[in-house]
Amino acid sequence: MPHDTLFTPVALGAISLPNRFVMAPLTRCRADANHVPTDFMVDYYAQRASAGLIIAEATMAVEGNSAFGGREPGIYSDAQVAAWRKVTDAVHAKGGRIISQLWHGGRACHSLLNNGAQPVAPSPLRIENDETHTPQGKKPYEVPRELRDDELPGIVAGFKRAAENAKAAGFDGVEVHGANGYLLDEFLRDGSNRRSGPYGGPIENRARLLLEVTDAAIEVWGADRVGVRISPLNSYNFMQDSDPVALTRYVAEQLDRRSVAFLDLMRGDFHGVQKADVVSAARGAFKGALLVGMGFTPDEAEQTVAAGTAAAIVFGPHYVSNPDLVERVRRAVPLVEPNPQTLYTNGAEGYTDYPMLAD
């Protein structure tokens, strides 16, 4: 089918996109041991600059919260900011747009990745159904330490510094990572947040930390260059919520009041455990630009955007293996499937060596 709507421009707040293809934040573990972006990453993002928008991978806002084998990037040091500037300059030189995704690993972190520091979370509940990669091999997740209420302003301040660093690094905006079982999502969902007080209990309290972080990012960037990602159904990292539709609706309403640039909604569950229509809940409560992702084909993406359900579609795995995804869809060329064996290795193989179409 033709994909005419996907190739039309759209505005996400102050960020103007030439098309409706958004590259998902894809953790690829190519930073160095000090969480500094590498030249591999400069090439990788530049190759994908034809996307309407690149959302860069989950990036540590606060030092000491590594959760991906010690090789995910950060944005808390001068060296990291300088290295990210090389990435953003390369993307901009090719006419692209790129925003930073600000992230805290929460209970998905491990002491072996963080100089012995115990992971932190809203409640002392560990991830039970998986193990994590550490310098000593795969290990069970640890029971996290429950954060005190008086520690949470420091978390917010860390995210604000990260937002300031993202501006210094030349990004076009930021996305607050409130998804996939990391710290802000752990506060959001009642399966991982069992605390009482101002940050626990009803939805309004559980969403407080996410919204405080969002407000801090808005102070730095203005609402029209801040987006938020949520995954109310995704059970990855041992997550669940008793009422994901109500959670989606409340967060969407609050973000709508703030006039953020976009809401980035993961519509499903990687593991198929939870099912609900969170897209309609978000669309009904959020009047701004709604991005939707998880499992879209180009045909379904076209239908979803043409119907007005989403402003743009977030593509994940196919951006791993199709750096020129936009052109491949334009020419109706079959998409390349990614090699799962090289997703999280540390070199160029399976990262910057996927072929581009000949001009």
PDB file of all heavy atoms in Angstrom, residues 265-295:
ATOM      1  N   LEU A 265       4.027   6.570  23.744  1.00  0.00           N
ATOM      2  CA  LEU A 265       3.307   5.461  24.378  1.00  0.00           C
ATOM      3  C   LEU A 265       3.694   4.121  23.760  1.00  0.00           C
ATOM      4  O   LEU A 265       3.543   3.914  22.558  1.00  0.00           O
ATOM      5  CB  LEU A 265       1.793   5.667  24.207  1.00  0.00           C
ATOM      6  CG  LEU A 265       0.888   4.566  24.756  1.00  0.00           C
ATOM      7  CD1 LEU A 265       0.936   4.523  26.278  1.00  0.00           C
ATOM      8  CD2 LEU A 265      -0.543   4.769  24.267  1.00  0.00           C
ATOM      9  N   MET A 266       4.186   3.220  24.579  1.00  0.00           N
ATOM     10  CA  MET A 266       4.391   1.834  24.156  1.00  0.00           C
ATOM     11  C   MET A 266       3.058   1.117  24.336  1.00  0.00           C
ATOM     12  O   MET A 266       2.553   1.000  25.450  1.00  0.00           O
ATOM     13  CB  MET A 266       5.512   1.201  24.976  1.00  0.00           C
ATOM     14  CG  MET A 266       6.848   1.903  24.783  1.00  0.00           C
ATOM     15  SD  MET A 266       8.187   1.201  25.782  1.00  0.00           S
ATOM     16  CE  MET A 266       8.427  -0.376  24.943  1.00  0.00           C
ATOM     17  N   ARG A 267       2.508   0.638  23.237  1.00  0.00           N
ATOM     18  CA  ARG A 267       1.107   0.201  23.245  1.00  0.00           C
ATOM     19  C   ARG A 267       0.886  -1.198  23.780  1.00  0.00           C
ATOM     20  O   ARG A 267      -0.258  -1.587  24.035  1.00  0.00           O
ATOM     21  CB  ARG A 267       0.542   0.267  21.830  1.00  0.00           C
ATOM     22  CG  ARG A 267       1.220  -0.688  20.842  1.00  0.00           C
ATOM     23  CD  ARG A 267       0.527  -0.686  19.495  1.00  0.00           C
ATOM     24  NE  ARG A 267       1.214  -1.534  18.525  1.00  0.00           N
ATOM     25  CZ  ARG A 267       0.689  -1.864  17.346  1.00  0.00           C
ATOM     26  NH1 ARG A 267      -0.518  -1.421  17.011  1.00  0.00           N
ATOM     27  NH2 ARG A 267       1.371  -2.631  16.500  1.00  0.00           N
ATOM     28  N   GLY A 268       1.950  -2.000  23.945  1.00  0.00           N
ATOM     29  CA  GLY A 268       1.745  -3.396  24.298  1.00  0.00           C
ATOM     30  C   GLY A 268       2.701  -3.893  25.352  1.00  0.00           C
ATOM     31  O   GLY A 268       3.313  -3.125  26.103  1.00  0.00           O
ATOM     32  N   ASP A 269       2.827  -5.212  25.392  1.00  0.00           N
ATOM     33  CA  ASP A 269       3.659  -5.907  26.375  1.00  0.00           C
ATOM     34  C   ASP A 269       4.601  -6.835  25.623  1.00  0.00           C
ATOM     35  O   ASP A 269       4.157  -7.698  24.859  1.00  0.00           O
ATOM     36  CB  ASP A 269       2.752  -6.704  27.321  1.00  0.00           C
ATOM     37  CG  ASP A 269       3.503  -7.487  28.383  1.00  0.00           C
ATOM     38  OD1 ASP A 269       4.746  -7.422  28.431  1.00  0.00           O
ATOM     39  OD2 ASP A 269       2.819  -8.176  29.173  1.00  0.00           O
ATOM     40  N   PHE A 270       5.897  -6.669  25.827  1.00  0.00           N
ATOM     41  CA  PHE A 270       6.876  -7.544  25.177  1.00  0.00           C
ATOM     42  C   PHE A 270       6.539  -9.015  25.377  1.00  0.00           C
ATOM     43  O   PHE A 270       6.769  -9.848  24.503  1.00  0.00           O
ATOM     44  CB  PHE A 270       8.283  -7.301  25.741  1.00  0.00           C
ATOM     45  CG  PHE A 270       8.940  -6.032  25.283  1.00  0.00           C
ATOM     46  CD1 PHE A 270       9.831  -5.375  26.109  1.00  0.00           C
ATOM     47  CD2 PHE A 270       8.700  -5.499  24.030  1.00  0.00           C
ATOM     48  CE1 PHE A 270      10.473  -4.213  25.703  1.00  0.00           C
ATOM     49  CE2 PHE A 270       9.321  -4.336  23.612  1.00  0.00           C
ATOM     50  CZ  PHE A 270      10.210  -3.693  24.456  1.00  0.00           C
ATOM     51  N   HIS A 271       6.014  -9.358  26.549  1.00  0.00           N
ATOM     52  CA  HIS A 271       5.784 -10.758  26.907  1.00  0.00           C
ATOM     53  C   HIS A 271       4.328 -11.194  26.752  1.00  0.00           C
ATOM     54  O   HIS A 271       4.000 -12.351  27.034  1.00  0.00           O
ATOM     55  CB  HIS A 271       6.249 -11.005  28.344  1.00  0.00           C
ATOM     56  CG  HIS A 271       7.697 -10.686  28.562  1.00  0.00           C
ATOM     57  ND1 HIS A 271       8.707 -11.274  27.840  1.00  0.00           N
ATOM     58  CD2 HIS A 271       8.302  -9.808  29.414  1.00  0.00           C
ATOM     59  CE1 HIS A 271       9.884 -10.794  28.241  1.00  0.00           C
ATOM     60  NE2 HIS A 271       9.654  -9.895  29.179  1.00  0.00           N
ATOM     61  N   GLY A 272       3.447 -10.288  26.336  1.00  0.00           N
ATOM     62  CA  GLY A 272       2.059 -10.650  26.093  1.00  0.00           C
ATOM     63  C   GLY A 272       1.251 -10.969  27.339  1.00  0.00           C
ATOM     64  O   GLY A 272       0.196 -11.595  27.253  1.00  0.00           O
ATOM     65  N   VAL A 273       1.715 -10.530  28.508  1.00  0.00           N
ATOM     66  CA  VAL A 273       1.017 -10.851  29.754  1.00  0.00           C
ATOM     67  C   VAL A 273      -0.187  -9.948  29.953  1.00  0.00           C
ATOM     68  O   VAL A 273      -1.291 -10.405  30.250  1.00  0.00           O
ATOM     69  CB  VAL A 273       1.986 -10.726  30.951  1.00  0.00           C
ATOM     70  CG1 VAL A 273       1.252 -10.963  32.271  1.00  0.00           C
ATOM     71  CG2 VAL A 273       3.144 -11.700  30.802  1.00  0.00           C
ATOM     72  N   GLN A 274       0.004  -8.654  29.794  1.00  0.00           N
ATOM     73  CA  GLN A 274      -1.079  -7.701  30.013  1.00  0.00           C
ATOM     74  C   GLN A 274      -1.611  -7.201  28.674  1.00  0.00           C
ATOM     75  O   GLN A 274      -0.835  -6.893  27.764  1.00  0.00           O
ATOM     76  CB  GLN A 274      -0.599  -6.515  30.847  1.00  0.00           C
ATOM     77  CG  GLN A 274      -0.276  -6.888  32.294  1.00  0.00           C
ATOM     78  CD  GLN A 274      -0.181  -5.663  33.181  1.00  0.00           C
ATOM     79  OE1 GLN A 274       0.689  -4.830  33.007  1.00  0.00           O
ATOM     80  NE2 GLN A 274      -1.080  -5.558  34.140  1.00  0.00           N
ATOM     81  N   LYS A 275      -2.920  -7.083  28.588  1.00  0.00           N
ATOM     82  CA  LYS A 275      -3.570  -6.603  27.366  1.00  0.00           C
ATOM     83  C   LYS A 275      -4.646  -5.592  27.747  1.00  0.00           C
ATOM     84  O   LYS A 275      -5.442  -5.829  28.658  1.00  0.00           O
ATOM     85  CB  LYS A 275      -4.189  -7.756  26.577  1.00  0.00           C
ATOM     86  CG  LYS A 275      -3.176  -8.738  25.993  1.00  0.00           C
ATOM     87  CD  LYS A 275      -3.873  -9.849  25.216  1.00  0.00           C
ATOM     88  CE  LYS A 275      -2.867 -10.726  24.462  1.00  0.00           C
ATOM     89  NZ  LYS A 275      -1.959 -11.435  25.379  1.00  0.00           N
ATOM     90  N   ALA A 276      -4.677  -4.481  27.043  1.00  0.00           N
ATOM     91  CA  ALA A 276      -5.700  -3.455  27.236  1.00  0.00           C
ATOM     92  C   ALA A 276      -5.528  -2.417  26.142  1.00  0.00           C
ATOM     93  O   ALA A 276      -4.480  -2.351  25.486  1.00  0.00           O
ATOM     94  CB  ALA A 276      -5.582  -2.794  28.613  1.00  0.00           C
ATOM     95  N   ASP A 277      -6.547  -1.590  25.938  1.00  0.00           N
ATOM     96  CA  ASP A 277      -6.467  -0.521  24.948  1.00  0.00           C
ATOM     97  C   ASP A 277      -5.998   0.757  25.635  1.00  0.00           C
ATOM     98  O   ASP A 277      -6.810   1.578  26.069  1.00  0.00           O
ATOM     99  CB  ASP A 277      -7.825  -0.312  24.287  1.00  0.00           C
ATOM    100  CG  ASP A 277      -7.794   0.787  23.228  1.00  0.00           C
ATOM    101  OD1 ASP A 277      -6.688   1.281  22.910  1.00  0.00           O
ATOM    102  OD2 ASP A 277      -8.882   1.169  22.744  1.00  0.00           O
ATOM    103  N   VAL A 278      -4.693   0.900  25.737  1.00  0.00           N
ATOM    104  CA  VAL A 278      -4.149   2.115  26.342  1.00  0.00           C
ATOM    105  C   VAL A 278      -4.028   3.244  25.319  1.00  0.00           C
ATOM    106  O   VAL A 278      -3.945   4.409  25.698  1.00  0.00           O
ATOM    107  CB  VAL A 278      -2.787   1.835  27.015  1.00  0.00           C
ATOM    108  CG1 VAL A 278      -2.968   0.910  28.214  1.00  0.00           C
ATOM    109  CG2 VAL A 278      -1.776   1.264  26.038  1.00  0.00           C
ATOM    110  N   VAL A 279      -4.039   2.904  24.043  1.00  0.00           N
ATOM    111  CA  VAL A 279      -3.925   3.939  23.010  1.00  0.00           C
ATOM    112  C   VAL A 279      -5.142   4.854  23.038  1.00  0.00           C
ATOM    113  O   VAL A 279      -5.026   6.082  23.017  1.00  0.00           O
ATOM    114  CB  VAL A 279      -3.730   3.311  21.620  1.00  0.00           C
ATOM    115  CG1 VAL A 279      -3.714   4.400  20.544  1.00  0.00           C
ATOM    116  CG2 VAL A 279      -2.431   2.502  21.563  1.00  0.00           C
ATOM    117  N   SER A 280      -6.335   4.263  23.113  1.00  0.00           N
ATOM    118  CA  SER A 280      -7.544   5.089  23.162  1.00  0.00           C
ATOM    119  C   SER A 280      -7.580   5.950  24.419  1.00  0.00           C
ATOM    120  O   SER A 280      -8.019   7.107  24.381  1.00  0.00           O
ATOM    121  CB  SER A 280      -8.790   4.191  23.115  1.00  0.00           C
ATOM    122  OG  SER A 280      -8.901   3.553  21.858  1.00  0.00           O
ATOM    123  N   ALA A 281      -7.120   5.386  25.539  1.00  0.00           N
ATOM    124  CA  ALA A 281      -7.092   6.155  26.786  1.00  0.00           C
ATOM    125  C   ALA A 281      -6.163   7.355  26.652  1.00  0.00           C
ATOM    126  O   ALA A 281      -6.495   8.474  27.074  1.00  0.00           O
ATOM    127  CB  ALA A 281      -6.656   5.262  27.941  1.00  0.00           C
ATOM    128  N   ALA A 282      -4.996   7.138  26.051  1.00  0.00           N
ATOM    129  CA  ALA A 282      -4.048   8.233  25.871  1.00  0.00           C
ATOM    130  C   ALA A 282      -4.582   9.265  24.889  1.00  0.00           C
ATOM    131  O   ALA A 282      -4.514  10.477  25.135  1.00  0.00           O
ATOM    132  CB  ALA A 282      -2.713   7.684  25.389  1.00  0.00           C
ATOM    133  N   ARG A 283      -5.125   8.788  23.766  1.00  0.00           N
ATOM    134  CA  ARG A 283      -5.612   9.703  22.738  1.00  0.00           C
ATOM    135  C   ARG A 283      -6.767  10.547  23.262  1.00  0.00           C
ATOM    136  O   ARG A 283      -6.894  11.739  22.914  1.00  0.00           O
ATOM    137  CB  ARG A 283      -6.051   8.903  21.512  1.00  0.00           C
ATOM    138  CG  ARG A 283      -6.550   9.713  20.327  1.00  0.00           C
ATOM    139  CD  ARG A 283      -5.436  10.460  19.627  1.00  0.00           C
ATOM    140  NE  ARG A 283      -4.930  11.623  20.377  1.00  0.00           N
ATOM    141  CZ  ARG A 283      -3.832  12.277  20.058  1.00  0.00           C
ATOM    142  NH1 ARG A 283      -3.094  11.907  19.043  1.00  0.00           N
ATOM    143  NH2 ARG A 283      -3.446  13.314  20.773  1.00  0.00           N
ATOM    144  N   GLY A 284      -7.612   9.975  24.119  1.00  0.00           N
ATOM    145  CA  GLY A 284      -8.736  10.719  24.655  1.00  0.00           C
ATOM    146  C   GLY A 284      -8.342  11.787  25.657  1.00  0.00           C
ATOM    147  O   GLY A 284      -9.048  12.784  25.827  1.00  0.00           O
ATOM    148  N   ALA A 285      -7.199  11.593  26.328  1.00  0.00           N
ATOM    149  CA  ALA A 285      -6.799  12.514  27.396  1.00  0.00           C
ATOM    150  C   ALA A 285      -5.702  13.478  26.989  1.00  0.00           C
ATOM    151  O   ALA A 285      -5.531  14.516  27.637  1.00  0.00           O
ATOM    152  CB  ALA A 285      -6.341  11.704  28.616  1.00  0.00           C
ATOM    153  N   PHE A 286      -4.959  13.143  25.940  1.00  0.00           N
ATOM    154  CA  PHE A 286      -3.815  13.957  25.536  1.00  0.00           C
ATOM    155  C   PHE A 286      -4.084  14.557  24.174  1.00  0.00           C
ATOM    156  O   PHE A 286      -4.219  13.839  23.185  1.00  0.00           O
ATOM    157  CB  PHE A 286      -2.545  13.092  25.507  1.00  0.00           C
ATOM    158  CG  PHE A 286      -1.287  13.861  25.232  1.00  0.00           C
ATOM    159  CD1 PHE A 286      -0.730  14.665  26.213  1.00  0.00           C
ATOM    160  CD2 PHE A 286      -0.657  13.784  24.000  1.00  0.00           C
ATOM    161  CE1 PHE A 286       0.442  15.385  25.961  1.00  0.00           C
ATOM    162  CE2 PHE A 286       0.503  14.478  23.739  1.00  0.00           C
ATOM    163  CZ  PHE A 286       1.056  15.291  24.725  1.00  0.00           C
ATOM    164  N   LYS A 287      -4.150  15.873  24.110  1.00  0.00           N
ATOM    165  CA  LYS A 287      -4.518  16.546  22.859  1.00  0.00           C
ATOM    166  C   LYS A 287      -3.307  16.878  21.992  1.00  0.00           C
ATOM    167  O   LYS A 287      -3.462  17.290  20.840  1.00  0.00           O
ATOM    168  CB  LYS A 287      -5.287  17.832  23.177  1.00  0.00           C
ATOM    169  CG  LYS A 287      -6.513  17.625  24.050  1.00  0.00           C
ATOM    170  CD  LYS A 287      -7.479  16.604  23.450  1.00  0.00           C
ATOM    171  CE  LYS A 287      -8.761  16.485  24.248  1.00  0.00           C
ATOM    172  NZ  LYS A 287      -8.562  15.843  25.572  1.00  0.00           N
ATOM    173  N   GLY A 288      -2.116  16.715  22.535  1.00  0.00           N
ATOM    174  CA  GLY A 288      -0.915  17.030  21.782  1.00  0.00           C
ATOM    175  C   GLY A 288      -0.487  15.897  20.880  1.00  0.00           C
ATOM    176  O   GLY A 288      -1.280  15.011  20.517  1.00  0.00           O
ATOM    177  N   ALA A 289       0.788  15.887  20.502  1.00  0.00           N
ATOM    178  CA  ALA A 289       1.322  14.880  19.585  1.00  0.00           C
ATOM    179  C   ALA A 289       1.539  13.564  20.334  1.00  0.00           C
ATOM    180  O   ALA A 289       2.338  13.489  21.267  1.00  0.00           O
ATOM    181  CB  ALA A 289       2.631  15.368  18.980  1.00  0.00           C
ATOM    182  N   LEU A 290       0.824  12.531  19.911  1.00  0.00           N
ATOM    183  CA  LEU A 290       0.948  11.204  20.502  1.00  0.00           C
ATOM    184  C   LEU A 290       1.808  10.340  19.594  1.00  0.00           C
ATOM    185  O   LEU A 290       1.519  10.179  18.400  1.00  0.00           O
ATOM    186  CB  LEU A 290      -0.432  10.564  20.671  1.00  0.00           C
ATOM    187  CG  LEU A 290      -0.456   9.148  21.266  1.00  0.00           C
ATOM    188  CD1 LEU A 290       0.080   9.136  22.689  1.00  0.00           C
ATOM    189  CD2 LEU A 290      -1.866   8.568  21.213  1.00  0.00           C
ATOM    190  N   LEU A 291       2.898   9.816  20.142  1.00  0.00           N
ATOM    191  CA  LEU A 291       3.718   8.836  19.443  1.00  0.00           C
ATOM    192  C   LEU A 291       3.346   7.463  19.972  1.00  0.00           C
ATOM    193  O   LEU A 291       3.200   7.282  21.182  1.00  0.00           O
ATOM    194  CB  LEU A 291       5.213   9.085  19.680  1.00  0.00           C
ATOM    195  CG  LEU A 291       5.747  10.505  19.507  1.00  0.00           C
ATOM    196  CD1 LEU A 291       7.260  10.508  19.677  1.00  0.00           C
ATOM    197  CD2 LEU A 291       5.338  11.078  18.165  1.00  0.00           C
ATOM    198  N   VAL A 292       3.211   6.490  19.077  1.00  0.00           N
ATOM    199  CA  VAL A 292       2.859   5.133  19.489  1.00  0.00           C
ATOM    200  C   VAL A 292       3.846   4.162  18.870  1.00  0.00           C
ATOM    201  O   VAL A 292       4.235   4.308  17.702  1.00  0.00           O
ATOM    202  CB  VAL A 292       1.418   4.765  19.074  1.00  0.00           C
ATOM    203  CG1 VAL A 292       1.056   3.372  19.586  1.00  0.00           C
ATOM    204  CG2 VAL A 292       0.416   5.781  19.610  1.00  0.00           C
ATOM    205  N   GLY A 293       4.263   3.176  19.636  1.00  0.00           N
ATOM    206  CA  GLY A 293       5.207   2.184  19.141  1.00  0.00           C
ATOM    207  C   GLY A 293       4.925   0.806  19.693  1.00  0.00           C
ATOM    208  O   GLY A 293       4.069   0.624  20.549  1.00  0.00           O
ATOM    209  N   MET A 294       5.658  -0.146  19.180  1.00  0.00           N
ATOM    210  CA  MET A 294       5.685  -1.579  19.480  1.00  0.00           C
ATOM    211  C   MET A 294       5.017  -2.379  18.374  1.00  0.00           C
ATOM    212  O   MET A 294       3.792  -2.427  18.276  1.00  0.00           O
ATOM    213  CB  MET A 294       5.082  -1.951  20.828  1.00  0.00           C
ATOM    214  CG  MET A 294       5.924  -1.485  22.010  1.00  0.00           C
ATOM    215  SD  MET A 294       5.352  -2.076  23.620  1.00  0.00           S
ATOM    216  CE  MET A 294       6.011  -3.751  23.629  1.00  0.00           C
ATOM    217  N   GLY A 295       5.840  -2.979  17.528  1.00  0.00           N
ATOM    218  CA  GLY A 295       5.371  -3.975  16.585  1.00  0.00           C
ATOM    219  C   GLY A 295       4.669  -3.464  15.347  1.00  0.00           C
ATOM    220  O   GLY A 295       3.938  -4.221  14.703  1.00  0.00           O
TER     221      GLY A 295
END
